[in-house]
């Protein structure tokens, strides 16, 4: 008999409106791709306003996806290696975010699905080569009141700190 550990995620959408920020918790059950997550975020906006999707996995890592209307999304992940071991983290870890050209990936994998060469025990990367630590756009909240230095210093209860910087703690607490 094996006991499986259930991974717990918390997700919230923060949407900027004419009247300020609106917060809502959200279910990720139907999110299977980055496009699904972007659609979910854009659906929280009424006038192509800024929306931030926040995903956290048990204080192991958190990720932010920011959409501003139809512009390309901006992504920040607190710990790339931890997120790479998570189904929702994998969704956010795009080839572009990781600096990989998707056409080059075929050259890195043999026909049997293994990578060329032996892994280096000294490397501090996840199995798929994702580095530990912050990855992505660390200026994602800079224009909204949270400078890069503060974002990079977050660890536990990141969402409350972000909501405080954005001035929407009261709104967020109503959905928590």
């Amino acid at each position: 008999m094996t006991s499986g550990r259930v991974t717990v995620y918390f997700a919230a959408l923060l949407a900027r409106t004419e009247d300020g920020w609106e917060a809502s918790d959200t279910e990720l059950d139907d999110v299977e791709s980055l496009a699904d997550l972007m659609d979910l975020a854009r659906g929280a906006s009424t006038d192509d306003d800024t929306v931030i999707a926040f995903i956290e996995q048990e204080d192991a890592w958190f990720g932010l996806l920011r959409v501003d209307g139809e512009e390309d999304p901006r992504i920040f992940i607190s710990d790339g290696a931890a997120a790479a071991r998570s189904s929702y983290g994998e969704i956010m870890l795009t080839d572009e975010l990781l600096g990989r050209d998707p056409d080059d990936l075929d050259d890195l994998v043999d026909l049997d699905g293994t990578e060329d060469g032996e892994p280096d025990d000294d490397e501090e990367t996840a199995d798929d080569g994702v580095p530990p630590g912050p990855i992505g756009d660390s200026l994602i909240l800079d224009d909204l009141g949270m400078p890069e230095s503060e974002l990079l210093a977050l660890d536990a209860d990141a969402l409350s700190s972000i909501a405080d910087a954005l001035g929407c703690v009261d709104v967020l607490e109503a959905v928590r």
Side-chain angles (χ1 to χ4, degrees), residues 33-39 41-42 50-53 64-76 91-92 94 96-97 136-137 140:
S33 68
L34 183 59
D36 292 342
L37 185 57
M38 290 174 8
D39 289 345
R42 286 191 173 113
T50 298
V51 178
I52 299 166
L64 302 170
L65 171 90
R66 176 177 174 172
V67 293
D68 296 291
E70 293 300 317
E71 292 181 28
D72 288 341
R74 296 169 63 186
I75 299 171
F76 174 80
I91 288 171
M92 297 177 76
T94 64
E96 182 180 349
L97 188 69
D137 184 353
I140 192 169

Side-chain angles (χ1 to χ4, degrees), residues 24-35:
S24 61
D25 62 345
T26 188
E27 291 295 322
L28 299 174
D29 295 342
D30 295 329
V31 174
E32 295 179 3
S33 68
L34 183 59

